[in-house]
Amino acid sequence: MRCRIAANRNCAPGTAVAGVSSGRGVGFSVVLLLATLALAVLVCPVSRAEAEAVPAVTGISPSRGPTEGGTTVVISGTGLQDPTSVSFGETEATSFSYDPETGSVTAVSPPHEAGTVSVRVTTAQGISEATAESAFTFLAVPVVTGVSPTTGTAAGGTQVTISGLHLAEVIAVFFGDSPAAEFAYDPATGTVCAVAPPHAAGQVQVKVTTTGGASKDTPADDFTFVPPPPTAWYEQADPRIQYSGTW
């Protein structure tokens, strides 16, 4: 809707006609014109529909998260002000808020099955389109189905092969509460190779953490740290006895 500086059907009743002269001189006409301009702005404001555009998502960060939800996602784009809803696929975000300083929306991902969906923002002007920039991937929680070997020295250093499902996005491996000294994912076998850290003797669970979450404890992930073998030593008490060699 456009407002004209005139009394017509585009403006509310009571809007004065600009440029009317009452015979009081040019000065009075200028004052009347300025007053009319101010009144026209107040009476006929530009509609929000004209001032704001349909929302568009140009990026999200991060673009991955666990299926259990709870990932805080920053959504960038245009026309995102005053959002009425944010959805991940067909599921509503757990919560969301708009930041007027950055023009972005922050949303918390809901629980969702594994797969890629579009993050869409709805405002009074419409709903954003699904694009490659709005894609968000829910990653399945890793599952450990076996470790080999299942025992190693408490001194650490044992190389352990971890088998399971959804291990590709590995970001950490733990033996009990102790992080592995080293670890790497092997795409050819779908397994993770980890080096056991030093640990007190006893049984622990091997946990794999990925972007999709942390594996749950199962009998298949048990690993036992065993005490190192005793060190042999020999004390020579008689200086007359000569010996050589290593122990």
Side-chain angles (χ1 to χ4, degrees), residues 101-120:
E101 293 187 1
T102 62
S104 62
V105 172
T106 299
V108 177
S109 66
H112 196 284
E113 63 183 7
T116 300
V117 300
S118 289
V119 178
R120 306 181 74 180

Side-chain angles (χ1 to χ4, degrees), residues 141-151 160-165 167 173-177 202-209 214-225:
V141 175
V143 178
V144 174
T145 59
V147 295
S148 179
T150 58
T151 61
V160 180
T161 299
I162 307 168
S163 304
L165 304 172
L167 305 180
V173 175
F174 290 88
F175 287 73
D177 294 327
Q203 187 180 82
V204 298
Q205 281 69 48
V206 178
K207 292 183 180 181
V208 176
T209 301
S215 60
K216 306 299 182 183
D217 292 345
T218 68
D221 64 18
D222 290 345
F223 182 86
T224 302
F225 286 95

Side-chain angles (χ1 to χ4, degrees), residues 2-247:
R2 296 181 181 276
C3 286
R4 298 179 180 177
I5 311 304
N8 56 44
R9 60 185 179 183
N10 289 324
C11 288
T15 303
V17 178
V20 174
S21 175
S22 61
R24 299 186 183 181
V26 176
F28 179 80
S29 296
V30 172
V31 172
L32 179 60
L33 176 59
L34 294 176
T36 303
L37 286 171
L39 180 61
V41 171
L42 293 174
V43 174
C44 300
V46 177
S47 68
R48 291 181 64 124
E50 290 181 336
E52 299 175 359
V54 174
V57 174
T58 58
I60 58 175
S61 180
S63 60
R64 295 184 176 188
T67 54
E68 62 189 14
T71 303
T72 300
V73 180
V74 177
I75 306 167
S76 304
T78 58
L80 303 181
Q81 57 267 36
D82 300 325
T84 57
S85 72
V86 175
S87 60
F88 287 71
E90 300 297 326
T91 307
E92 294 290 322
T94 302
S95 63
F96 63 88
S97 61
Y98 174 71
D99 184 349
E101 293 187 1
T102 62
S104 62
V105 172
T106 299
V108 177
S109 66
H112 196 284
E113 63 183 7
T116 300
V117 300
S118 289
V119 178
R120 306 181 74 180
V121 177
T122 300
T123 69
Q125 278 61 55
I127 183 171
S128 61
E129 296 290 336
T131 64
E133 290 75 17
S134 66
F136 182 87
T137 301
F138 286 94
L139 298 172
V141 175
V143 178
V144 174
T145 59
V147 295
S148 179
T150 58
T151 61
T153 174
T158 303
Q159 292 190 1
V160 180
T161 299
I162 307 168
S163 304
L165 304 172
H166 316 302
L167 305 180
E169 300 282 339
V170 58
I171 56 177
V173 175
F174 290 88
F175 287 73
D177 294 327
S178 300
E182 299 176 44
F183 64 87
Y185 175 72
D186 184 352
T189 61
T191 60
V192 173
C193 181
V195 178
H199 196 283
Q203 187 180 82
V204 298
Q205 281 69 48
V206 178
K207 292 183 180 181
V208 176
T209 301
T210 70
T211 309
S215 60
K216 306 299 182 183
D217 292 345
T218 68
D221 64 18
D222 290 345
F223 182 86
T224 302
F225 286 95
V226 297
T231 301
W233 60 278
Y234 177 81
E235 182 178 350
Q236 172 61 26
D238 190 341
R240 294 172 301 174
I241 300 177
Q242 301 295 318
Y243 65 90
S244 62
T246 58
W247 280 263

